[in-house]
Amino acid sequence: MRKRIWFYILLSIVMAGQLLISDGSELRAEAAEISEIEQDQPVSILFIGNSLTYYRAKGKPNYFLDYFEKLSKAGGHEVSISRVTRSGQKLKNFADPDHKDGKKVYQAIASKKWDYVVLQENTNYAVGYNSTFQKAAKKLAEAIYANNPETTIVYNCTWAFENGGRVNGRRYSYKSMQKQMNANYQQAALATDGMISWAGSAFYNCRREHPGLKLYVSDQNHPSRYGAYLSACSMYSTIFDESPHKLGYYSVCGKNKGRYLQKIAAKVNL
């Protein structure tokens, strides 16, 4: 397009013997063409979190991210995924530029103009150390928006421990732990103009409606294949603002269970 524009400009100069002053229509057309090209680029997503973002069994692919990528493809969305993750890590360390993982995070944020950056807090900190969670979220959001004001921040609100637990000196039931986590994630999202993927709420609804479907592995914290798939469906619904129902990719869940988990995620997140 650019070569054609200059060809006609030079041709006009030769024919008219004077400089052509364009009304900008050609440039607007070129800008529109470039915009169309940009829209065809993969959706770039940076995930920042711990093992609830990248958990996998020994020798197996990353469940959550692998499932999310395959769901995206099934839905006609091309995604480019990167991650900075470490088992058990907290956002306060990711937000610290002097911490080894914090350095990786700031380098990753600055490496490109991301469409989405997903933040996932350590479960204990998301529940019982809210002040630390909020400070870290704001600090990371400042860096993300400074790099690209158009980036959308998504908080991956994960799930409570299967049977609740003691956090920062307080005993939580499963229900009360999820409720507190949801409230704290919502506070962070409101303070930083972010969105939320309600994976934990999807877990809650699924456990209430289908208690026989095991969403956790034996440690009562990390997701099973079903739990990881449900989390991926939640993220799909949030980022693409559309239901994953009947996409045709069901992982190891099978069609019936897969469609059920898709519907649960869509109901919570849309």
Side-chain angles (χ1 to χ4, degrees):
M1 179 68 176
R2 186 173 288 108
K3 291 181 179 179
R4 293 201 302 271
I5 290 173
W6 282 109
F7 171 80
Y8 287 120
I9 290 175
L10 291 171
L11 181 61
S12 299
I13 292 172
V14 172
M15 292 178 64
Q18 59 183 7
L19 179 66
L20 172 66
I21 301 176
S22 173
D23 66 359
S25 61
E26 294 93 344
L27 297 180
R28 285 195 296 274
E30 182 179 9
E33 184 173 309
I34 292 173
S35 178
E36 289 178 3
I37 293 173
E38 289 176 346
Q39 290 174 7
D40 291 334
Q41 297 301 310
V43 177
S44 60
I45 311 171
L46 172 63
F47 287 85
I48 299 171
N50 54 43
S51 58
L52 298 189
T53 292
Y54 78 88
Y55 176 74
R56 60 181 184 151
K58 186 177 181 180
K60 300 295 183 181
N62 184 316
Y63 294 160
F64 166 68
L65 294 180
D66 182 55
Y67 295 167
F68 171 72
E69 185 173 18
K70 289 177 179 176
L71 280 167
S72 300
K73 184 177 181 180
H77 304 285
E78 186 179 357
V79 295
S80 174
I81 294 174
S82 297
R83 67 179 175 94
V84 180
T85 54
R86 185 176 295 277
S87 180
Q89 193 56 281
K90 313 160 188 68
L91 285 184
K92 74 169 188 175
N93 289 333
F94 285 134
D96 181 358
D98 294 324
H99 190 280
K100 63 179 181 180
D101 290 330
K103 291 178 182 178
K104 293 178 182 177
V105 162
Y106 286 101
Q107 289 172 357
I109 290 172
S111 67
K112 67 190 301 181
K113 293 189 180 299
W114 299 97
D115 294 312
Y116 296 89
V117 175
V118 180
L119 302 178
Q120 179 252 310
E121 177 62 291
N122 172 284
T123 302
N124 286 324
Y125 274 71
V127 175
Y129 298 84
N130 188 45
S131 177
T132 302
F133 174 21
Q134 300 304 320
K135 289 178 182 177
K138 289 179 181 178
K139 191 171 183 179
L140 287 168
E142 289 174 358
I144 292 165
Y145 290 140
N147 179 65
N148 180 20
E150 301 302 315
T151 296
T152 298
I153 296 174
V154 178
Y155 290 90
N156 186 6
C157 181
T158 53
W159 42 89
F161 300 142
E162 187 172 16
N163 295 312
R166 184 171 293 277
V167 180
N168 197 16
R170 176 181 171 182
R171 171 70 192 180
Y172 290 87
S173 66
Y174 165 72
K175 183 177 181 179
S176 64
M177 190 176 189
Q178 191 65 60
K179 183 178 180 180
Q180 187 64 59
M181 187 186 299
N182 286 2
N184 294 347
Y185 266 102
Q186 188 166 39
Q187 181 183 345
L190 288 172
T192 60
D193 195 26
M195 301 169 63
I196 301 178
S197 175
W198 296 104
S201 295
F203 266 56
Y204 180 85
N205 285 3
C206 183
R207 290 182 62 176
R208 184 177 59 184
E209 296 179 8
H210 201 320
L213 191 57
K214 189 169 180 58
L215 300 178
Y216 298 79
V217 295
S218 59
D219 66 5
Q220 301 182 359
N221 177 23
H222 291 92
S224 68
R225 296 286 191 101
Y226 295 129
Y229 183 77
L230 180 56
S231 180
C233 287
S234 293
M235 186 61 64
Y236 179 94
S237 298
T238 301
I239 286 184
F240 298 115
D241 193 28
E242 61 186 42
S243 173
H245 190 223
K246 297 184 179 180
L247 282 183
Y249 171 69
Y250 307 111
S251 174
V252 297
C253 302
K255 184 175 181 179
N256 291 336
K257 288 187 177 68
R259 285 192 172 183
Y260 170 73
L261 294 171
Q262 291 170 349
K263 290 174 71 174
I264 286 285
K267 184 177 180 180
V268 167
N269 289 283
L270 296 176

